Amino acid sequence: MNTLLILVGSQRPDGFNHALARAAEALLAPGWRAETFDALALLPHLREDLDEPGQDATLDRFRDAVRRSDAILFVTPEYNGGPPSLIKNALDHASRPRRDAPIAGMPAAVIGATPTPGATAAAREALIRGLAIAHAAPVEATFGVAEAHLHLDADGYDAAVRAGVRPVLDALLAAAHRPSPTRDDLVAA
């Protein structure tokens, strides 16, 4: 069984992005299971002295979750033209320590939802750029839900949103099955 780690950059469990994460989870292919790391808000701010295991229990759990996963899905709102600090901090921690970063070579994708017309484009772009710099393997496909409140009902997101999420998930899960460079290859580059 393969594991998709889902990281949601919103602290509102009833919000647009948690609903988008649930929609993505419902679309997973057979042979995949989702794991959501729900303690992103408990991660300390990035400090290099936390690179060594045993410095922070939540951080150790987070890095272990990244290492155990086969792919990562970032689900992000957008604030002031970028992703919230919660999700950026998670990315930064997953990229440390540099020589043993759990995210290095990891297939990753970004989706997001917002009540505004921008569809989280700036946040998704910033995260894709950050993932590439962190030596992850981001897929090109992303998806954003604009005016999310218009696409959500008591059962979740409508068919149009699910149809937008599906190709991103397909690309991500396919990337997880391709051989990727080793962490040493990526760090040396």
Side-chain angles (χ1 to χ4, degrees), residues 38-123:
D38 57 1
L40 291 182
L42 301 178
L43 289 175
H45 290 286
L46 181 70
R47 296 189 335 247
E48 289 182 9
D49 62 325
L50 296 175
D51 282 356
E52 293 300 317
Q55 303 298 312
D56 183 274
T58 303
L59 182 53
D60 289 346
R61 259 188 337 110
F62 172 67
R63 287 186 177 142
D64 287 343
V66 173
R67 281 189 181 91
R68 284 191 321 272
S69 64
D70 298 290
I72 301 176
L73 180 65
F74 288 79
V75 185
T76 187
E78 181 175 295
Y79 299 115
N80 300 314
S85 60
L86 187 73
I87 202 91
K88 176 63 167 73
N89 191 45
L91 170 59
D92 291 344
H93 276 301
S95 73
R96 304 288 310 168
R98 185 171 182 266
R99 292 243 172 248
D100 190 30
I103 204 165
M106 179 72 64
V110 181
I111 60 177
T114 181
T116 66
T120 69

